[in-house]
Amino acid sequence: MKVVKTVKSLRTFVSAARDAARTIGFVPTMGALHEGHLSLIKRSVKNGDFVVVSIFVNPTQFGPKEDLAKYPRPLRKDLQLCKKHNVDAVFVPDVKEMYQAGGLSWVSVEKLSDPLCGRIRPGHFRGVATVCAKLFNIVGPDVAYFGQKDAQQAIIIERMVADLNLPLKIVVCPTVRASDGLALSSRNQYLSPQQRKDAACIYRSLRAARKMIKEGVTNPKTICARMRKIISRAESLTAIDYISITEGNTLQDLHRITGRVLIAVAARFGSTRLIDNLIVDSGKR
Ligand code: AMP
Protein backbone atom coordinates (compact mmCIF):
# COMPACT_ATOMS: atom_id res chain seq x y z
CA MET A 1 0.00 0.00 0.00
CA LYS A 2 1.33 3.38 -0.99
CA VAL A 3 0.78 6.44 1.22
CA VAL A 4 1.14 9.70 -0.67
CA LYS A 5 0.94 13.31 0.43
CA THR A 6 1.14 15.21 -2.83
CA VAL A 7 -1.22 15.60 -5.76
CA LYS A 8 1.63 14.94 -8.16
CA SER A 9 2.70 11.61 -6.67
CA LEU A 10 -0.91 10.45 -6.28
CA ARG A 11 -1.57 11.18 -9.96
CA THR A 12 1.55 9.30 -11.01
CA PHE A 13 0.67 6.26 -8.92
CA VAL A 14 -2.97 6.13 -10.08
CA SER A 15 -2.09 6.64 -13.73
CA ALA A 16 0.08 3.51 -13.65
CA ALA A 17 -2.95 1.54 -12.42
CA ARG A 18 -5.14 3.14 -15.09
CA ASP A 19 -2.59 2.20 -17.76
CA ALA A 20 -2.81 -1.36 -16.45
CA ALA A 21 -6.56 -1.19 -17.24
CA ARG A 22 -7.63 -1.19 -13.58
CA THR A 23 -10.93 0.36 -12.53
CA ILE A 24 -10.11 3.15 -10.08
CA GLY A 25 -12.33 3.09 -6.97
CA PHE A 26 -12.26 6.04 -4.57
CA VAL A 27 -13.38 6.38 -0.95
CA PRO A 28 -13.09 9.96 0.35
CA THR A 29 -12.98 10.21 4.16
CA MET A 30 -11.94 12.49 6.99
CA GLY A 31 -10.27 9.58 8.79
CA ALA A 32 -10.92 8.14 12.26
CA LEU A 33 -11.98 5.13 10.26
CA HIS A 34 -14.68 2.79 11.57
CA GLU A 35 -16.78 -0.04 10.14
CA GLY A 36 -18.88 2.49 8.20
CA HIS A 37 -15.84 3.66 6.23
CA LEU A 38 -14.57 0.10 5.97
CA SER A 39 -17.86 -1.00 4.38
CA LEU A 40 -17.17 1.44 1.52
CA ILE A 41 -13.60 0.16 1.16
CA LYS A 42 -14.84 -3.46 1.15
CA ARG A 43 -17.36 -2.62 -1.54
CA SER A 44 -14.62 -1.12 -3.71
CA VAL A 45 -12.29 -4.10 -3.11
CA LYS A 46 -15.18 -6.46 -3.98
CA ASN A 47 -15.70 -4.55 -7.20
CA GLY A 48 -12.11 -5.40 -8.13
CA ASP A 49 -11.05 -1.75 -8.06
CA PHE A 50 -7.63 -0.25 -7.60
CA VAL A 51 -8.72 1.27 -4.28
CA VAL A 52 -7.76 4.83 -3.37
CA VAL A 53 -8.76 6.21 0.05
CA SER A 54 -8.31 9.85 0.96
CA ILE A 55 -7.95 11.00 4.55
CA PHE A 56 -8.35 14.74 4.76
CA VAL A 57 -10.11 16.77 7.46
CA ASN A 58 -11.46 19.40 5.11
CA PRO A 59 -11.44 22.82 6.82
CA THR A 60 -13.79 24.44 4.29
CA GLN A 61 -16.72 22.30 5.40
CA PHE A 62 -16.43 23.32 9.07
CA GLY A 63 -18.07 26.43 10.46
CA PRO A 64 -16.09 28.79 12.72
CA LYS A 65 -17.64 27.36 15.89
CA GLU A 66 -17.41 23.72 14.86
CA ASP A 67 -15.05 20.89 15.84
CA LEU A 68 -12.27 21.26 13.20
CA ALA A 69 -9.44 21.54 15.76
CA LYS A 70 -10.61 18.65 17.93
CA TYR A 71 -11.69 16.34 15.07
CA PRO A 72 -9.96 12.96 15.74
CA ARG A 73 -6.86 12.26 13.60
CA PRO A 74 -5.58 8.77 14.47
CA LEU A 75 -3.53 8.50 11.27
CA ARG A 76 -1.35 5.53 12.20
CA LYS A 77 -4.35 3.41 13.13
CA ASP A 78 -6.20 4.52 9.98
CA LEU A 79 -3.29 3.48 7.78
CA GLN A 80 -3.12 0.09 9.49
CA LEU A 81 -6.82 -0.42 8.83
CA CYS A 82 -6.43 0.58 5.18
CA LYS A 83 -3.57 -1.84 4.77
CA LYS A 84 -5.49 -4.65 6.44
CA HIS A 85 -8.38 -4.07 4.03
CA ASN A 86 -6.26 -4.18 0.88
CA VAL A 87 -6.35 -0.51 -0.03
CA ASP A 88 -3.86 0.27 -2.81
CA ALA A 89 -3.20 3.96 -2.16
CA VAL A 90 -3.99 6.37 0.67
CA PHE A 91 -3.93 10.07 -0.12
CA VAL A 92 -3.14 12.17 2.97
CA PRO A 93 -2.61 15.72 1.77
CA ASP A 94 -2.16 18.59 4.19
CA VAL A 95 -4.32 21.71 3.92
CA LYS A 96 -1.67 23.59 1.91
CA GLU A 97 -1.50 20.81 -0.65
CA MET A 98 -5.29 20.86 -1.15
CA TYR A 99 -5.87 24.61 -1.00
CA GLN A 100 -3.27 26.75 -2.70
CA ALA A 101 -3.24 30.24 -1.20
CA GLY A 102 -5.62 32.58 -2.97
CA GLY A 103 -8.03 29.96 -4.31
CA LEU A 104 -11.18 31.69 -5.53
CA SER A 105 -13.22 28.89 -7.02
CA TRP A 106 -16.05 27.03 -5.31
CA VAL A 107 -18.65 24.47 -6.26
CA SER A 108 -22.14 25.17 -4.93
CA VAL A 109 -25.00 22.79 -5.56
CA GLU A 110 -27.95 25.11 -5.22
CA LYS A 111 -31.27 24.33 -3.56
CA LEU A 112 -30.17 20.85 -2.37
CA SER A 113 -27.63 22.51 -0.07
CA ASP A 114 -30.22 24.76 1.62
CA PRO A 115 -32.45 22.56 3.83
CA LEU A 116 -31.60 20.17 6.69
CA CYS A 117 -27.87 20.34 7.59
CA GLY A 118 -27.41 23.24 5.15
CA ARG A 119 -29.70 25.42 7.27
CA ILE A 120 -27.80 24.67 10.47
CA ARG A 121 -24.31 24.63 8.90
CA PRO A 122 -24.15 27.46 6.34
CA GLY A 123 -21.40 26.89 3.78
CA HIS A 124 -20.92 23.25 4.83
CA PHE A 125 -22.06 21.71 1.55
CA ARG A 126 -20.14 24.24 -0.53
CA GLY A 127 -17.02 22.99 1.28
CA VAL A 128 -18.04 19.36 0.76
CA ALA A 129 -18.86 19.78 -2.95
CA THR A 130 -15.68 21.75 -3.58
CA VAL A 131 -13.37 19.27 -1.88
CA CYS A 132 -15.07 16.31 -3.60
CA ALA A 133 -14.76 18.02 -7.01
CA LYS A 134 -11.08 18.67 -6.30
CA LEU A 135 -10.47 15.11 -5.10
CA PHE A 136 -12.29 13.68 -8.13
CA ASN A 137 -10.03 15.79 -10.37
CA ILE A 138 -6.93 14.65 -8.50
CA VAL A 139 -7.76 10.93 -8.25
CA GLY A 140 -9.69 10.52 -11.50
CA PRO A 141 -11.82 7.63 -10.20
CA ASP A 142 -14.22 5.52 -12.26
CA VAL A 143 -16.34 4.93 -9.17
CA ALA A 144 -16.58 6.83 -5.87
CA TYR A 145 -18.24 5.33 -2.80
CA PHE A 146 -20.31 7.33 -0.31
CA GLY A 147 -22.40 6.36 2.72
CA GLN A 148 -26.17 6.67 3.04
CA LYS A 149 -25.44 7.86 6.60
CA ASP A 150 -24.81 11.32 5.09
CA ALA A 151 -27.88 11.25 2.86
CA GLN A 152 -27.92 14.93 1.91
CA GLN A 153 -24.22 14.81 1.06
CA ALA A 154 -24.74 11.78 -1.21
CA ILE A 155 -27.64 13.50 -3.01
CA ILE A 156 -25.59 16.67 -3.50
CA ILE A 157 -22.55 14.80 -4.84
CA GLU A 158 -24.70 12.77 -7.23
CA ARG A 159 -26.23 15.99 -8.53
CA MET A 160 -22.84 17.71 -8.87
CA VAL A 161 -21.49 14.77 -10.88
CA ALA A 162 -24.53 14.85 -13.18
CA ASP A 163 -24.64 18.64 -13.56
CA LEU A 164 -20.91 19.01 -14.26
CA ASN A 165 -20.60 15.90 -16.48
CA LEU A 166 -17.93 14.45 -14.23
CA PRO A 167 -16.89 11.09 -15.69
CA LEU A 168 -17.48 8.84 -12.70
CA LYS A 169 -20.18 6.76 -11.09
CA ILE A 170 -21.35 7.36 -7.52
CA VAL A 171 -22.25 4.32 -5.43
CA VAL A 172 -24.14 4.94 -2.18
CA CYS A 173 -23.69 2.19 0.44
CA PRO A 174 -26.01 1.37 3.38
CA THR A 175 -25.52 2.89 6.83
CA VAL A 176 -23.53 0.69 9.22
CA ARG A 177 -24.91 0.72 12.77
CA ALA A 178 -23.91 -0.37 16.26
CA SER A 179 -25.98 -3.16 17.83
CA ASP A 180 -28.36 -0.65 19.45
CA GLY A 181 -28.93 1.01 16.07
CA LEU A 182 -26.75 4.10 16.52
CA ALA A 183 -25.15 4.93 13.14
CA LEU A 184 -21.38 4.63 13.37
CA SER A 185 -19.66 8.01 13.20
CA SER A 186 -16.19 9.34 13.96
CA ARG A 187 -17.95 11.78 16.30
CA ASN A 188 -19.44 9.01 18.48
CA GLN A 189 -16.14 8.90 20.38
CA TYR A 190 -16.88 12.37 21.79
CA LEU A 191 -19.93 10.94 23.64
CA SER A 192 -19.89 10.21 27.40
CA PRO A 193 -21.27 6.77 28.38
CA GLN A 194 -24.65 8.34 29.23
CA GLN A 195 -24.79 10.30 25.96
CA ARG A 196 -23.76 7.22 23.99
CA LYS A 197 -26.58 5.24 25.58
CA ASP A 198 -29.11 8.01 25.01
CA ALA A 199 -28.06 8.53 21.37
CA ALA A 200 -29.71 5.25 20.36
CA CYS A 201 -33.02 7.14 20.59
CA ILE A 202 -32.29 8.66 17.17
CA TYR A 203 -32.59 5.32 15.42
CA ARG A 204 -35.55 4.34 17.60
CA SER A 205 -37.34 7.48 16.41
CA LEU A 206 -36.51 6.69 12.77
CA ARG A 207 -37.84 3.16 13.14
CA ALA A 208 -41.02 4.42 14.77
CA ALA A 209 -41.48 6.84 11.86
CA ARG A 210 -40.96 4.08 9.31
CA LYS A 211 -43.53 1.93 11.10
CA MET A 212 -46.09 4.75 11.07
CA ILE A 213 -45.56 5.32 7.34
CA LYS A 214 -45.91 1.61 6.64
CA GLU A 215 -49.13 1.62 8.69
CA GLY A 216 -50.50 4.34 6.43
CA VAL A 217 -49.98 7.58 8.38
CA THR A 218 -49.63 10.30 5.74
CA ASN A 219 -49.29 13.50 7.78
CA PRO A 220 -45.58 14.26 8.26
CA LYS A 221 -46.34 16.50 11.25
CA THR A 222 -47.94 13.60 13.15
CA ILE A 223 -44.87 11.46 12.52
CA CYS A 224 -42.35 14.18 13.36
CA ALA A 225 -44.20 14.90 16.62
CA ARG A 226 -43.91 11.22 17.59
CA MET A 227 -40.18 11.26 16.76
CA ARG A 228 -39.66 14.43 18.80
CA LYS A 229 -41.33 12.77 21.77
CA ILE A 230 -39.04 9.72 21.55
CA ILE A 231 -35.87 11.81 21.23
CA SER A 232 -36.85 14.36 23.87
CA ARG A 233 -36.98 11.66 26.55
CA ALA A 234 -33.16 11.32 26.39
CA GLU A 235 -31.65 12.82 29.55
CA SER A 236 -28.44 14.07 27.89
CA LEU A 237 -30.12 15.61 24.82
CA THR A 238 -29.09 19.26 24.42
CA ALA A 239 -30.85 20.19 21.17
CA ILE A 240 -32.78 18.85 18.25
CA ASP A 241 -31.50 20.65 15.13
CA TYR A 242 -34.18 19.16 12.91
CA ILE A 243 -36.57 16.29 12.47
CA SER A 244 -37.71 16.20 8.91
CA ILE A 245 -39.56 14.19 6.32
CA THR A 246 -38.87 15.26 2.75
CA GLU A 247 -39.15 13.90 -0.75
CA GLY A 248 -36.31 11.39 -1.08
CA ASN A 249 -34.46 12.85 -4.10
CA THR A 250 -35.24 16.57 -4.11
CA LEU A 251 -35.34 17.14 -0.33
CA GLN A 252 -38.50 19.17 -0.81
CA ASP A 253 -40.96 19.50 2.06
CA LEU A 254 -44.00 17.27 1.94
CA HIS A 255 -47.49 18.14 3.15
CA ARG A 256 -48.59 14.57 2.63
CA ILE A 257 -46.41 11.50 2.49
CA THR A 258 -46.19 9.94 -0.97
CA GLY A 259 -43.52 8.02 -2.84
CA ARG A 260 -40.01 7.55 -1.51
CA VAL A 261 -39.29 9.78 1.45
CA LEU A 262 -36.22 10.69 3.46
CA ILE A 263 -36.72 10.80 7.23
CA ALA A 264 -33.79 12.70 8.70
CA VAL A 265 -32.70 13.75 12.19
CA ALA A 266 -29.92 15.91 13.59
CA ALA A 267 -29.64 16.10 17.37
CA ARG A 268 -27.05 17.14 19.91
CA PHE A 269 -25.92 15.25 22.97
CA GLY A 270 -23.68 17.50 25.03
CA SER A 271 -21.84 19.42 22.32
CA THR A 272 -21.78 16.46 19.91
CA ARG A 273 -24.01 16.74 16.90
CA LEU A 274 -25.27 13.46 15.43
CA ILE A 275 -27.21 12.86 12.21
CA ASP A 276 -29.05 9.87 10.87
CA ASN A 277 -31.75 9.02 8.35
CA LEU A 278 -33.87 6.33 6.76
CA ILE A 279 -35.27 6.14 3.26
CA VAL A 280 -38.78 4.72 3.23
CA ASP A 281 -40.98 3.84 0.31
CA SER A 282 -44.45 4.82 1.47
CA GLY A 283 -46.08 2.81 -1.30
CA LYS A 284 -48.39 5.81 -1.84
CA ARG A 285 -48.57 7.65 -5.14
P1 AMP B 1 -16.49 11.05 6.87
O1 AMP B 1 -15.13 10.52 7.22
O2 AMP B 1 -17.38 11.24 8.03
O3 AMP B 1 -16.41 12.25 5.95
O4 AMP B 1 -17.18 9.89 6.01
C1 AMP B 1 -16.60 9.39 4.85
C2 AMP B 1 -17.58 8.52 4.13
O5 AMP B 1 -17.98 7.43 4.97
C3 AMP B 1 -18.88 9.28 3.74
O6 AMP B 1 -19.30 8.87 2.45
C4 AMP B 1 -19.83 8.81 4.81
O7 AMP B 1 -21.19 8.88 4.41
C5 AMP B 1 -19.40 7.38 5.02
N1 AMP B 1 -19.85 6.90 6.33
C6 AMP B 1 -19.64 7.49 7.53
N2 AMP B 1 -20.27 6.78 8.50
C7 AMP B 1 -20.89 5.75 7.89
C8 AMP B 1 -21.72 4.67 8.36
N3 AMP B 1 -22.03 4.52 9.64
N4 AMP B 1 -22.19 3.79 7.44
C9 AMP B 1 -21.88 3.93 6.12
N5 AMP B 1 -21.11 4.92 5.63
C10 AMP B 1 -20.63 5.82 6.50
Side-chain angles (χ1 to χ4, degrees):
M1 185 181 84
K2 188 113 168 166
V3 180
V4 295
K5 293 187 173 169
T6 67
V7 171
K8 194 164 171 236
S9 46
L10 193 272
R11 282 200 170 126
T12 308
F13 193 53
V14 175
S15 74
R18 200 174 296 114
D19 291 347
R22 298 286 307 272
T23 301
I24 312 301
F26 178 44
V27 180
T29 82
M30 299 206 301
L33 302 182
H34 51 65
E35 286 295 332
H37 300 110
L38 296 178
S39 72
L40 310 184
I41 292 173
K42 286 179 196 164
R43 181 82 172 258
S44 182
V45 169
K46 199 167 159 206
N47 196 42
D49 301 341
F50 178 87
V51 182
V52 182
V53 172
S54 64
I55 298 177
F56 178 62
V57 183
N58 174 36
T60 66
Q61 70 188 67
F62 286 78
K65 292 191 185 127
E66 293 180 2
D67 57 344
L68 174 63
K70 77 162 186 176
Y71 199 86
R73 290 167 172 87
L75 185 60
R76 260 172 61 124
K77 186 172 162 237
D78 285 350
L79 294 178
Q80 281 167 2
L81 280 169
C82 286
K83 192 161 182 193
K84 189 171 156 207
H85 288 83
N86 300 311
V87 171
D88 293 289
V90 188
F91 182 45
V92 282
D94 62 16
V95 173
K96 270 203 337 240
E97 183 68 13
M98 283 301 288
Y99 292 101
Q100 314 292 336
L104 296 173
S105 305
W106 296 95
V107 181
S108 284
V109 180
E110 295 175 5
K111 291 206 168 75
L112 294 174
S113 299
D114 296 340
L116 306 173
C117 289
R119 194 163 294 146
I120 310 289
R121 305 181 72 189
H124 170 68
F125 288 114
R126 183 178 84 147
V128 169
T130 302
V131 82
C132 285
K134 286 165 74 70
L135 288 166
F136 293 164
N137 281 330
I138 292 164
V139 176
D142 300 290
V143 194
Y145 299 86
F146 286 83
Q148 176 61 34
K149 153 82 171 32
D150 299 280
Q152 189 174 12
Q153 168 172 284
I155 288 171
I156 287 170
I157 298 303
E158 281 178 326
R159 177 56 73 94
M160 175 185 80
V161 164
D163 285 349
L164 301 183
N165 304 90
L166 302 183
L168 74 152
K169 187 177 146 193
I170 301 297
V171 171
V172 182
C173 303
T175 302
V176 178
R177 301 178 178 284
S179 54
D180 63 355
L182 178 66
L184 299 189
S185 162
S186 306
R187 289 188 168 101
N188 290 353
Q189 57 190 275
Y190 299 150
L191 299 170
S192 71
Q194 179 68 45
Q195 291 164 353
R196 169 63 192 81
K197 194 163 155 255
D198 287 353
C201 71
I202 296 177
Y203 186 57
R204 277 204 302 279
S205 78
L206 289 167
R207 278 206 337 240
R210 177 170 61 194
K211 185 158 176 271
M212 288 172 86
I213 293 173
K214 293 291 183 193
E215 286 169 357
V217 179
T218 54
N219 185 346
K221 283 192 185 140
T222 311
I223 301 171
C224 291
R226 172 88 191 109
M227 293 175 72
R228 186 168 293 274
K229 213 165 173 181
I230 294 171
I231 295 174
S232 299
R233 279 202 292 259
E235 208 179 286
S236 62
L237 177 79
T238 36
I240 296 175
D241 281 357
Y242 60 76
I243 294 174
S244 145
I245 302 182
T246 63
E247 201 284 321
N249 300 312
T250 60
L251 305 181
Q252 276 173 357
D253 281 338
L254 290 171
H255 300 295
R256 181 179 168 272
I257 288 176
T258 53
R260 192 172 159 275
V261 301
L262 174 73
I263 318 168
V265 177
R268 295 174 200 248
F269 295 81
S271 59
T272 304
R273 183 173 182 278
L274 301 177
I275 60 170
D276 199 355
N277 68 86
L278 278 182
I279 292 273
V280 178
D281 190 345
S282 67
K284 294 207 159 42
R285 299 290 158 232

